Amino acid sequence: MKKQIITVLLMLIASASTFAQSGKQKKADKATEAWRYEIECAGVGTDGTYLIKVWSYSKKPSIAITQAKKNAVHGVIFKGFGGDGRGCSSQKPMATNPNVEMEKMDFFEPFFEEGGKYMKFVSESTDGMVDASDRMKVGKEYKIGVIVSVSKDALRHDLEAAGIIRGLSSGF
């Protein structure tokens, strides 16, 4: 009888923890569903990658940090970024069609959902640590800068294979 009670209690605790995590992620997704972020070059990455800084906005710093990877991949695909004096050159977005995100929504919704395919193309370079100068209070929310590395070659190959963007060798 004691084993059954303990088992039930453990199941309830596990369920509550899972529910809390999914609730937190839904809040994070809702907070950033308008894709409010800024992206800039943070230096020269290894071959086939971009090293970029993503500035994400949210009422909670932890949510902005969580969404930084997703925002980075989204920025590389749809926004591109400007260069600077640190050896960075401007990069155009991979998607040349400004409507492709809406036209291919059946691809992008699961791609960008929590734990989605976008995760295999990005890694956080700061190991979760955010420099004090990269954490700003702007009105009622925070602007958090996180440096990430995006595997641009692998991302481009995947998007080309899915028919989302045209290959560089496909011509005009």
Side-chain angles (χ1 to χ4, degrees):
M1 184 70 170
K2 284 184 180 182
K3 283 185 179 182
Q4 289 175 336
I5 292 172
I6 291 172
T7 303
V8 169
L9 286 174
L10 288 174
M11 289 175 61
L12 286 172
I13 291 170
S15 296
S17 174
T18 302
F19 180 73
Q21 288 296 330
S22 70
K24 180 179 179 184
Q25 187 54 47
K26 285 181 184 177
K27 285 182 182 178
D29 288 340
K30 185 173 180 163
T32 59
E33 69 187 10
W35 296 109
R36 290 179 47 240
Y37 62 89
E38 298 167 24
I39 181 173
E40 64 186 48
C41 181
V44 178
T46 59
D47 196 30
T49 66
Y50 291 138
L51 187 63
I52 56 179
K53 182 180 277 189
V54 181
W55 295 91
S56 301
Y57 296 86
S58 181
K59 289 183 179 180
K60 295 185 178 180
S62 62
I63 290 175
I65 293 168
T66 301
Q67 295 298 101
K69 291 180 186 179
K70 187 181 294 188
N71 290 340
V73 173
H74 187 272
V76 168
I77 297 171
F78 300 109
K79 284 189 173 184
F81 53 91
D84 68 0
R86 292 178 281 188
C88 298
S89 58
S90 295
Q91 298 298 322
K92 293 182 179 180
M94 288 184 177
T96 55
N97 176 357
N99 300 320
V100 73
E101 186 174 12
M102 295 304 282
E103 292 171 1
K104 304 286 186 174
M105 191 177 290
D106 57 326
F107 174 83
F108 286 112
E109 279 188 0
F111 184 85
F112 282 115
E113 69 185 13
E114 184 57 28
K117 198 171 184 181
Y118 78 93
M119 289 292 292
K120 69 183 226 183
F121 305 109
V122 65
S123 61
E124 199 170 324
S125 297
T126 55
D127 295 327
M129 302 301 293
V130 176
D131 190 77
S133 64
D134 292 336
R135 180 185 301 254
M136 296 175 239
K137 183 85 168 157
V138 180
K140 293 184 178 184
E141 60 186 4
Y142 289 91
K143 177 181 177 181
I144 306 291
V146 178
I147 296 176
V148 297
S149 175
V150 177
S151 178
K152 66 175 175 133
D153 290 349
L155 177 60
R156 174 173 288 285
H157 179 74
D158 193 70
L159 294 174
E160 287 173 3
I164 303 300
I165 61 173
R166 293 188 345 189
L168 293 174
S169 61
S170 67
F172 297 96

